Amino acid sequence: MEEAKDREKLTLVTRKSCFGLPTSCPNCLPAYVYLKFSGTPFDLDFNLINPDSDQIPYVESGTYVAYNNEKGGVIRSLSEDGFVDLDSQVRGIPEWISAKAMVDSWLADAIIYELWVGSDGTSAHKIYYSDLPWPLGKILYLKQVHVVKQILGITKENAERREEEIYRNANDAFSALSTRLGEQDYFFDNRPTSLDAVFLGHALFTLYALPETSVLRSKLLEHDNLVRYTEKYKSELIDSSGSSSSGTQSQSDPSSSVPRRPSQWSSKPKSKPKREKTEEEKKFRRRAKYFLVTQLVAVLVFLSLLGGSDAAEVELDEDDDGADYD
């Protein structure tokens, strides 16, 4: 316990805020909610120069760092490394294990499908690429669409079938979770666990970041108790965070203001007086330029490889045609 008290305050690094949420990234929201449920004081910082990094979100505390792409993610790292463990009382319950697996797989798949494949990409662009020049942002978006299709096993031949499977699984997950929750405050043991945090992160993203035409959003809205649950904790953990000492934002950014209610989203930002850039800001701009150059090179290499692959297929087809004539 003394070691925990001596630790430096946690800093959660996520993608920027928009849609009235503290972070608009579907991978980042569960980590944010998990820390809020635990009552652990933490600062919220934003990484704006690595839009496609799978390390985000990550948590820092002194020399300690837990990345999203290591050890099963931030939540698991915080638990195993002795920082925050909300699952100690439920980890051995079979129903909890199956419910958590269902959220981590079926709902997670449905969200990335809607974000990258089943929509026009407006939400994805706003979350990941709105700070990049349009051509580069568009190319990186198309690259990520290709990656997501590979992850979900989607091809031209099975696209329709996979879409039906993804939405059917998501609907089954919502139904099972709705039945499990009933009118309780939490899913298990009358206390928050990582299941509550991960589902709430997914539900917040679905309701507030996906467009009104979203199929996944419409399926979630069919379950009144899950919607009430989501709105209850949005009000308690997010909307009231302005008066709380935990989860404070430590980086100033026009798009990362305190979450606002829908009626306020259309208000125009106030103009700020010009000031001289600090050395830290100059360093940030240099890093951002370096990032853009490296990303552009990576994209050009990616496209050239794709082009080479297509050309090889065309040449092979021509050779096959010649063999037929012989």
Side-chain angles (χ1 to χ4, degrees):
M1 294 297 293
E2 290 299 325
E3 181 182 354
K5 291 181 181 178
D6 293 339
R7 287 171 177 159
E8 294 186 26
K9 188 177 182 181
L10 291 172
T11 297
L12 174 64
V13 181
T14 70
R15 292 186 172 88
K16 65 181 182 180
S17 165
C18 54
F19 307 112
L21 299 172
T23 171
S24 54
C25 165
N27 291 332
C28 303
L29 278 168
Y32 178 91
V33 174
Y34 186 80
L35 289 173
K36 294 291 284 186
F37 268 142
S38 72
T40 303
F42 68 96
D43 290 324
L44 181 63
D45 206 349
F46 302 101
N47 186 309
L48 306 180
I49 61 173
N50 296 295
D52 58 347
S53 172
D54 59 358
Q55 291 184 331
I56 302 172
Y58 58 90
V59 169
E60 300 174 324
S61 178
T63 58
Y64 174 84
V65 183
Y67 292 107
N68 175 64
N69 62 346
E70 296 178 356
K71 296 176 61 175
V74 169
I75 292 177
R76 183 172 177 179
S77 294
L78 288 173
S79 175
E80 293 182 352
D81 296 337
F83 281 82
V84 184
D85 185 6
L86 298 181
D87 300 338
S88 58
Q89 303 299 316
V90 297
R91 195 170 282 113
I93 300 176
E95 293 83 0
W96 181 88
I97 295 172
S98 62
K100 181 68 161 49
M102 186 167 53
V103 172
D104 286 338
S105 56
W106 289 355
L107 292 188
D109 286 352
I111 282 179
I112 64 171
Y113 176 82
E114 284 236 342
L115 185 60
W116 298 103
V117 182
S119 67
D120 62 0
T122 301
S123 295
H125 175 78
K126 189 170 184 180
I127 297 166
Y128 298 95
Y129 308 123
S130 58
D131 296 306
L132 299 178
W134 179 85
L136 180 57
K138 186 66 175 179
I139 293 173
L140 290 175
Y141 167 76
L142 294 175
K143 175 186 174 184
Q144 187 61 26
V145 169
H146 178 72
V147 170
V148 169
K149 286 183 177 181
Q150 287 185 319
I151 292 173
L152 297 177
I154 297 174
T155 63
K156 290 182 179 180
E157 292 74 21
N158 70 0
E160 186 174 343
R161 176 175 60 81
R162 284 294 291 134
E163 178 179 326
E164 293 176 357
E165 290 176 353
I166 289 169
Y167 284 131
R168 182 173 64 250
N169 289 341
N171 190 56
D172 290 345
F174 286 144
S175 298
L177 291 167
S178 177
T179 300
R180 174 68 207 182
L181 181 64
E183 298 303 321
Q184 301 177 100
D185 290 332
Y186 305 104
F187 286 108
F188 283 86
D189 203 29
N190 198 31
R191 58 188 295 169
T193 68
S194 62
L195 170 62
D196 295 272
V198 175
F199 171 76
L200 188 57
H202 290 339
L204 286 167
F205 184 84
T206 300
L207 291 176
Y208 291 92
L210 293 179
E212 293 185 1
T213 56
S214 162
V215 175
L216 187 63
R217 186 174 185 269
S218 66
K219 291 184 179 299
L220 176 56
L221 288 172
E222 294 174 2
H223 303 279
D224 292 339
N225 63 334
L226 294 181
V227 175
R228 289 196 303 270
Y229 168 90
T230 303
E231 292 177 341
K232 166 184 167 65
Y233 289 113
K234 181 178 185 295
S235 175
E236 294 182 7
L237 303 178
I238 296 176
D239 294 344
S240 62
S241 63
S243 59
S244 172
S245 60
S246 64
T248 55
Q249 295 180 352
S250 59
Q251 176 171 323
S252 175
D253 180 73
S255 63
S256 61
S257 58
V258 176
R260 298 169 290 182
R261 297 187 181 278
S263 60
Q264 298 174 304
W265 288 357
S266 60
S267 59
K268 296 181 179 179
K270 296 180 180 179
S271 58
K272 295 182 179 180
K274 293 184 178 180
R275 60 180 177 82
E276 186 177 351
K277 292 184 175 65
T278 64
E279 188 62 32
E280 183 178 354
E281 290 173 325
K282 292 177 181 179
K283 181 179 179 181
F284 175 82
R285 289 180 65 86
R286 289 195 297 269
R287 291 177 61 191
K289 290 178 180 178
Y290 172 77
F291 165 77
L292 292 178
V293 172
T294 57
Q295 284 295 313
L296 182 58
V297 171
V299 169
L300 291 175
V301 171
F302 173 77
L303 292 177
S304 66
L305 290 175
L306 284 181
S309 175
D310 293 341
E313 291 179 2
V314 171
E315 183 177 350
L316 182 60
D317 290 341
E318 291 176 352
D319 292 341
D320 290 343
D321 292 340
D324 291 339
Y325 285 119
D326 291 339

